[in-house]
Amino acid sequence: MVDVASLVDVKSGTQAKSIFWDEQIYELELERIFDRCWLFITHDSLIPNPGDFTTAIMGEDEVVVVRQMDGKVKAFLNYCQHRGTRVTSVEAGNTRSFTCTYHGWSYGIDGSLQAVPFENEFYKGVLDKSTHGLTEVRCESYMGFWYGNFDKSAPSLYDYLGDYRYFLDVWMDSTGGAELIGPPTRTLLNCNWKTPAENFVGDAYHVGWTHAASLSVLGGELSALSGNKMVPPDGAGVQITTRFGHGLGILTNAGPALLSGPVGEMARKWYAENRPKVAEKLGKTRAGYYGSHFNSNVFPNNSYLWGTNTFKVWAPRGPRSIEVFTWGIVEKNMPDEVKEAVYDMATRTFGTAGMLEGDDADNMESMTQLNRGRQIRKGRLNSQMGMGGDKVDEESGAVIGQSAVGETSYRGYYRAYREFLMAESWDDLLKTDPDAWKREFLGK
Amino acid sequence: MNKLVKVCKLGDVAPGEMKPVDVAGVKDPIAVFNLDGTHYATSNICTHNIAMMTDGYFEGDVVECPLHGGSFSIKTGEPLSFPCEIPLRTYPVIVDGEDVLIETEVEQS
Amino acid sequence: MDGLKAVAHDIYHEVEQMLYQESRLICEERLREWIDTMIDKDILYQAVVRQLRVRKDKRYTNKDYVNILNENFHYLEMRVRQSESPMQWTADPREVVRHFLSNLEVYEGEKPGEYRVFANCYVVRNRRIYEEMTYSYSRKDVWRRDAQGQFKLLRRVCEVDERFMRGKNLNFMM
Ligand code: FES
Ligand code: FES
Ligand SMILES: [Fe+2]
């Protein structure tokens, strides 16, 4: 049996390498993380009209998310109640029903079983249609972003995001909201699902080195970091972590990040124009964050970057490979040409042919695949950078490390990861006082 | 005996919209359509299976079934696409003052 | 077919040779030479992946494609520079991108001296010790002959067949 408690050492800031490889740990993750946490499924902008639907993957479960006739949104497991085939094989569309291609059972977009071919002739009254609707999945949204949850006892999405909302709002609320640009690209990576998640939650350290070449040719604010030529000065950024492992890093004023030339200017102008509005709405601190570069992850596997404007889900496919879903993310009220420029750059940097996307892949795959070796697998991972410098931030309630580069959010991510794996249920998770995690995290 | 029965009032169904109507004494559930100000009425049950046409899409003079996507002309009831082959029954519509009426046989109650 | 006018045999042959040369430059990592000699300054270089939809669904309004490459000369040249950087760790050790071209069709273009070229492409990409990835896509090109008689690529649209990209990424010249 796996010794779960020792997988993450919160005090010393280390993790067992086996978390990237072990089948048993993976099964436990599916049960205690993916069956329990809020998982991204769609965005309002992708299903604007009644009957619009998109498909998604939660953990390893396929779901379909549908806008109802009354404007509400429902999610269902994507399988037929008869013999279990998919009820839709496409990724998006507009429909009034889902008809299974095996024997033709038809479901309404509300999930109810509407029609069964030759129901009277063959079933002669034995089939109770009312108990054979699609299996509904709980879903809730924040600022137009829809998440699903398999656990009825989970807190609301709003509470699950908790203190993290303070930072989400910087982009997702301040200038009139955000939207996704789809469809997503879908690609394979032979890595454990946590390797990109931890990278996006808290790794500003690798940017100058892993991406040295791409940064040097792209220009924009981040290019100064290329080849580690520059140490980001004090005050250039922060590392942030919260109760359930959601975290981020902010590089102040590094907004359009990799956009140079006239399109970069266009984006910079937009940020400059909007900063005062953000100040008015969210206060001075967050106006300072607006227009900066954010690397972020909503626990467990939903990452995004503001400034480089990519939005990802790392869907686990066993412990050693993932399906990467990538959308563009933009502010709703950006003028079309700014949206386009920003989306274009998001694709150029973190899309399927993304100049930075390819850079990260080798790291994530070797971090995973090397654990094939029994000796290597026994090793531990280090995330100690910035330890001792983390403090509770009174304004947001989060824990913040005052450094543009540091591993605060890594440590917070894995602290929460351990807590989820150890807990029997949400009741178990919620029985500690809401600040207990901070004492544990800060070693007090 | 055929009779004129009221299905709705003018203005109940906006142009481009359709509406399900159950009329006392009329066996068939009725679908009323307003196509650019002219009213049409058909049976509301898809001839392919069991779906309510008014749960589907009404576009141009075509109604598309919500279940399997078969479609009919609302003017003639003619089936227009797979899997529908049997025509949809249509009803003559008469507007009398404020009332929209259809002509149909009525069961004595 | 499709209202297109096939070219004379000698031009077909010339274009065919030129495409093989292009592939060889890419395979041999001679990307600077490639962009200097074969790419028109007005290039638009695209690759497209499509989302799966029900064929007759016309009511869903969001677009069904992603331009995973959407490069003008400026950005294409940037990618060449990235590959030349001594800090491009993914390209060191070397990787091999081998194109297999087939189903070549060459037609007169819209303007004199322009040619529309269709091809099927199969790419076998080898990198690091254990990675071999394959890609299948179609190419629709427009080539134009410059004043010196040299063919320059003006437009390329690659339609990628695979919806779920097992080859992980398309960080190579397609
Ligand atoms: S499995 Fe879906 S109808 Fe039989
Ligand atoms: S029930 Fe209408 S098309 Fe099948
Ligand atoms: Fe990276």
Side-chain angles (χ1 to χ4, degrees):
Chain A
M1 260 313 279
V2 187
D3 175 12
V4 177
S6 70
L7 295 179
V8 175
D9 185 338
V10 178
K11 238 200 198 104
S12 72
T14 64
Q15 303 86 31
K17 285 184 100 271
S18 56
I19 61 172
F20 293 156
W21 183 264
D22 190 286
E23 300 269 1
Q24 279 181 34
I25 297 173
Y26 179 68
E27 284 305 318
L28 198 65
E29 288 173 349
L30 287 180
E31 175 195 322
R32 301 202 160 182
I33 293 175
F34 290 95
D35 281 359
R36 235 180 233 171
C37 292
W38 286 98
L39 306 169
F40 178 78
I41 47 177
T42 198
H43 186 270
D44 274 340
S45 53
L46 303 174
I47 47 168
N49 302 311
D52 281 353
F53 69 93
T54 51
T55 54
I57 295 180
M58 293 173 57
E60 295 222 41
D61 283 291
E62 296 190 22
V63 298
V64 50
V65 193
V66 203
R67 175 81 57 188
Q68 302 296 299
M69 297 312 288
D70 63 3
K72 296 205 178 79
V73 169
K74 287 187 184 215
F76 307 99
L77 292 178
N78 185 6
Y79 82 96
C80 176
Q81 300 293 313
H82 180 219
R83 301 303 303 164
T85 56
R86 281 189 184 88
V87 292
T88 180
S89 302
V90 298
E91 305 175 76
N94 179 281
T95 192
R96 291 287 180 265
S97 66
F98 296 102
T99 300
C100 177
T101 50
Y102 197 175
H103 313 93
W105 286 21
S106 278
Y107 302 86
I109 57 172
D110 62 353
S112 61
L113 178 56
Q114 296 277 341
V116 169
F118 307 113
E119 185 187 354
N120 297 334
E121 293 86 334
F122 296 156
Y123 283 100
K124 302 188 197 308
V126 300
L127 177 68
D128 181 358
K129 290 222 295 291
S130 72
T131 58
H132 286 77
L134 299 176
T135 309
E136 194 163 346
V137 177
R138 182 179 172 195
C139 63
E140 291 176 16
S141 72
Y142 183 70
M143 301 283 172
F145 290 76
W146 286 91
Y147 291 76
N149 195 312
F150 294 127
D151 194 330
K152 300 230 169 357
S153 60
S156 66
L157 174 64
Y158 188 87
D159 288 341
Y160 176 75
L161 294 171
D163 293 335
Y164 188 67
R165 281 183 282 105
Y166 175 92
F167 304 95
L168 271 179
D169 291 352
V170 174
W171 289 97
M172 301 197 181
D173 187 24
S174 58
T175 67
E179 63 188 16
L180 290 191
I181 301 182
T185 55
R186 307 173 65 152
T187 57
L188 169 81
L189 269 190
N190 292 310
C191 66
N192 181 270
W193 64 271
K194 297 183 293 303
T195 59
E198 63 164 42
N199 174 274
F200 275 64
V201 83
D203 205 314
Y205 191 26
H206 83 296
V207 176
W209 195 246
T210 293
H211 302 301
S214 8
L215 295 191
S216 73
V217 300
L218 277 161
E221 280 79 355
L222 291 187
S223 64
L225 301 174
S226 169
N228 286 350
K229 281 197 292 276
M230 180 195 100
V231 190
D234 279 351
V238 283
Q239 305 299 319
I240 298 154
T241 190
T242 60
R243 167 81 174 93
F244 293 120
H246 321 309
L248 68 157
I250 299 176
L251 264 181
T252 329
N253 270 323
L258 296 168
L259 269 179
S260 54
V263 282
E265 287 321 308
M266 216 156 64
R268 261 167 224 112
K269 189 167 150 256
W270 163 260
Y271 296 137
E273 276 168 15
N274 281 281
R275 191 161 292 129
K277 294 183 206 160
V278 180
E280 210 167 288
K281 189 159 185 188
L282 301 175
K284 210 170 125 242
T285 315
R286 283 187 284 178
Y289 292 157
Y290 175 79
S292 298
H293 189 271
F294 279 45
N295 57 274
S296 339
N297 186 71
V298 174
F299 192 87
N301 65 334
N302 171 210
S303 296
Y304 57 92
L305 304 174
W306 276 110
T308 19
N309 299 69
T310 189
F311 188 91
K312 307 249 187 194
V313 168
W314 322 104
R317 291 304 203 201
R320 298 151 205 180
S321 77
I322 61 171
E323 177 165 359
V324 183
F325 288 76
T326 306
W327 295 261
I329 184 170
V330 295
E331 289 165 73
K332 233 181 249 169
N333 289 335
M334 280 176 162
D336 283 347
E337 66 270 22
V338 178
K339 263 186 205 172
E340 239 161 70
V342 163
Y343 174 60
D344 209 40
M345 190 48 93
T347 313
R348 181 167 301 116
T349 50
F350 286 98
T352 303
M355 293 168 71
L356 286 82
E357 182 83 355
D359 295 339
D360 288 318
D362 286 336
N363 299 330
M364 284 152 200
E365 292 197 342
S366 63
M367 282 163 77
T368 303
Q369 298 300 332
L370 282 173
N371 295 303
R372 174 181 300 275
R374 279 172 45 78
Q375 304 310 315
I376 289 180
R377 189 153 82 230
K378 285 182 202 159
R380 289 193 75 85
L381 301 151
N382 181 298
S383 60
Q384 295 176 329
M385 192 190 297
M387 278 183 91
D390 298 329
K391 293 204 175 54
V392 175
D393 172 52
E394 294 307 332
E395 192 174 328
S396 64
V399 169
I400 298 192
Q402 291 292 341
S403 172
V405 178
E407 289 167 341
T408 304
S409 338
Y410 267 91
R411 292 191 294 279
Y413 181 84
Y414 283 111
R415 190 214 61 80
Y417 171 81
R418 180 176 184 273
E419 195 182 353
F420 274 106
L421 290 191
M422 301 279 290
E424 294 294 331
S425 65
W426 264 109
D427 287 347
D428 211 9
L429 279 155
L430 295 174
K431 72 175 185 249
T432 54
D433 80 83
D435 285 335
W437 77 274
K438 293 178 194 169
R439 293 191 294 275
E440 181 195 11
F441 186 77
L442 299 170
K444 288 189 182 137
Chain B
M1 246 292 277
N2 276 7
K3 276 192 175 166
L4 285 177
V5 295
K6 180 177 160 186
V7 287
C8 63
K9 288 182 98 64
L10 271 184
D12 282 356
V13 188
E17 305 269 293
M18 57 183 167
K19 200 181 156 185
V21 183
D22 282 316
V23 186
V26 178
K27 240 189 28 244
D28 224 5
I30 305 295
V32 181
F33 303 86
N34 181 336
L35 177 61
D36 304 326
T38 308
H39 287 74
Y40 295 88
T42 69
S43 157
N44 200 13
I45 304 297
C46 180
T47 60
H48 172 242
N49 201 331
I50 56 150
M52 300 264 278
M53 299 310 299
T54 47
D55 288 341
Y57 301 93
F58 173 34
E59 284 166 3
D61 60 354
V62 175
V63 62
E64 182 183 311
C65 176
L67 267 194
H68 313 112
S71 61
F72 303 91
S73 158
I74 61 155
K75 294 180 174 169
T76 63
E78 178 198 357
L80 299 173
S81 65
F82 177 85
C84 299
E85 290 177 349
I86 306 166
L88 193 64
R89 176 163 178 196
T90 56
Y91 297 87
V93 176
I94 286 132
V95 178
D96 180 12
E98 288 297 294
D99 294 336
V100 180
L101 312 162
I102 62 169
E103 189 187 325
T104 179
E105 63 277 16
V106 176
E107 286 171 359
Q108 240 54 37
S109 59
Chain C
M1 204 174 91
D2 300 328
L4 293 167
K5 190 163 171 274
V7 296
H9 192 269
D10 56 333
I11 295 184
Y12 181 93
H13 178 72
E14 212 183 338
V15 170
E16 185 183 30
Q17 288 300 302
M18 182 270 304
L19 286 177
Y20 294 155
Q21 280 159 13
E22 185 201 10
S23 293
R24 185 157 57 86
L25 286 185
I26 292 168
C27 186
E28 292 175 355
E29 298 184 287
R30 292 155 69 183
L31 296 186
R32 178 57 58 187
E33 211 175 320
W34 172 73
I35 198 158
D36 284 349
T37 62
M38 304 195 89
I39 305 300
D40 196 288
K41 291 281 188 294
D42 295 327
I43 180 83
L44 179 59
Y45 196 102
Q46 293 179 316
V48 178
V49 170
R50 278 177 207 283
Q51 187 175 47
L52 298 182
R53 301 276 178 84
V54 169
R55 283 175 192 276
K56 69 167 194 178
D57 184 355
K58 301 281 182 292
R59 297 187 178 99
Y60 184 67
T61 48
N62 287 35
K63 69 182 171 69
D64 72 347
Y65 64 90
V66 183
N67 279 333
I68 47 183
L69 280 171
N70 193 25
E71 309 298 52
N72 57 19
F73 191 86
H74 173 72
Y75 288 116
L76 207 54
E77 200 271 339
M78 212 175 245
R79 286 177 183 271
V80 173
R81 266 192 290 142
Q82 181 188 10
S83 77
E84 290 168 340
S85 163
M87 298 185 294
Q88 186 54 38
W89 319 128
T90 59
D92 200 0
R94 76 185 159 83
E95 64 170 72
V96 182
V97 174
R98 195 172 299 282
H99 288 98
F100 296 82
L101 304 184
S102 77
N103 299 63
L104 189 64
E105 299 172 61
V106 184
Y107 301 102
E108 303 283 356
E110 277 171 17
K111 294 183 194 140
E114 282 186 11
Y115 300 94
R116 297 190 61 182
V117 180
F118 300 147
N120 288 352
C121 305
Y122 188 68
V123 167
V124 181
R125 181 183 178 203
N126 269 274
R127 59 190 309 277
R128 301 292 163 109
I129 295 172
Y130 298 111
E131 286 178 58
E132 181 171 272
M133 295 163 296
T134 57
Y135 307 86
S136 163
Y137 52 90
S138 71
R139 260 193 205 164
K140 289 188 177 131
D141 290 354
V142 176
W143 291 82
R144 93 172 148 205
R145 232 193 252 278
D146 68 8
Q148 286 69 48
Q150 168 77 32
F151 282 113
K152 292 273 172 85
L153 182 62
L154 191 56
R155 183 147 171 70
R156 170 164 290 166
V157 184
C158 302
E159 285 263 358
V160 179
D161 300 341
E162 218 177 9
R163 174 55 179 130
F164 170 64
M165 183 70 57
R166 281 177 192 74
K168 299 187 279 195
N169 59 55
L170 290 167
N171 286 348
F172 60 88
M173 291 306 169
M174 296 175 74

